[in-house]
Amino acid sequence: MLPDGYSDVPAGKLAAVVTCLEMRAPPARRDDPEQPGITLDRMATPDLAWYRDLYSRIGTEWLWASRLAMADADLTAVLHHRDVEVYGVMKEGRAEGLLELDFREEGVCELAFFGLTPATIGGGTGRWLMNRAIARAWSREALQRFWVHTCTLDSPQALNFYIRSGFTPVKRQVEVFDDPRLAGILPETAAPVVPIIRA
């Protein structure tokens, strides 16, 4: 456990407060905003270039980098696993949102990745997508826990959105990790509100 007060973070590292949330039963269904021209398509064996492009367009602003740093073989093993479901939110023939559900742990589903590009933010697509994520997760009869984590580097709206969707915060952690901009995984212009400290 970290002591009260300030704790130093080494140069070249970032620190984020991570909140883990879960639901143990399906919540009451929320209104489902109409989304004309938008579909949710299952990608049974996602192409890595397709996935990384979408992941980057959604997550660069929030310093998403874990999947970009993975070797091709490792990422393929995750995305093509029979208990991992990847969906694209399709708009005008292009993926503009990502839903990734991980059922690899028995009785559990992790909302591994959930996000939209700027082209689909603000029109109710997030609620529409979450409704489908919840329905798909709880369609498995043996499911006992649906969980997600978010952090202070994510969108400021993310935590409250998950709570409104029926998730309950259950744990808070501090994550310290290499700044992906200094590692060359993301451009140094990413997330300009988060300063880069080299030394």
Side-chain angles (χ1 to χ4, degrees), residues 13-158:
K13 300 278 188 177
L14 292 174
V17 177
V18 179
T19 301
C20 295
L21 306 97
E22 67 178 19
M23 58 175 69
R24 293 284 183 167
R29 186 173 175 86
R30 294 177 61 94
D31 290 342
D32 201 30
E34 290 188 15
Q35 295 293 299
I38 292 181
T39 60
L40 185 63
D41 293 359
R42 171 87 183 268
M43 307 298 173
T45 54
D47 174 77
L48 296 190
W50 174 90
Y51 180 91
R52 285 178 172 138
D53 170 71
L54 179 58
Y55 180 96
S56 296
R57 288 189 287 120
I58 294 168
T60 294
E61 180 179 359
W62 314 113
L63 295 178
W64 287 13
S66 61
R67 290 297 175 79
L68 301 178
M70 291 177 73
D72 287 357
D74 294 336
L75 183 56
T76 298
V78 173
L79 298 182
H80 294 188
H81 193 283
R82 66 180 184 178
D83 289 322
V84 174
E85 298 182 2
V86 178
Y87 298 85
V89 177
M90 307 303 293
K91 180 179 181 180
E92 299 176 358
R94 186 182 193 204
E96 299 290 355
L98 175 66
L99 170 62
E100 186 176 330
L101 301 173
D102 188 338
F103 294 95
R104 289 178 293 173
E105 182 181 348
E106 186 175 355
V108 175
C109 177
E110 179 186 0
L111 181 57
F113 288 98
F114 180 98
L116 302 171
T117 69
T120 48
I121 290 175
T125 309
R127 169 56 48 212
W128 176 89
L129 181 58
M130 180 57 78
N131 287 350
R132 279 144 187 80
I134 291 170
R136 180 62 200 135
W138 289 105
S139 70
R140 295 211 177 185
E141 293 182 5
L143 192 73
Q144 300 173 17
R145 178 177 183 249
F146 185 29
W147 76 281
V148 64
H149 71 266
T150 186
C151 76
T152 48
L153 295 176
D154 283 336
S155 167
Q157 287 79 41

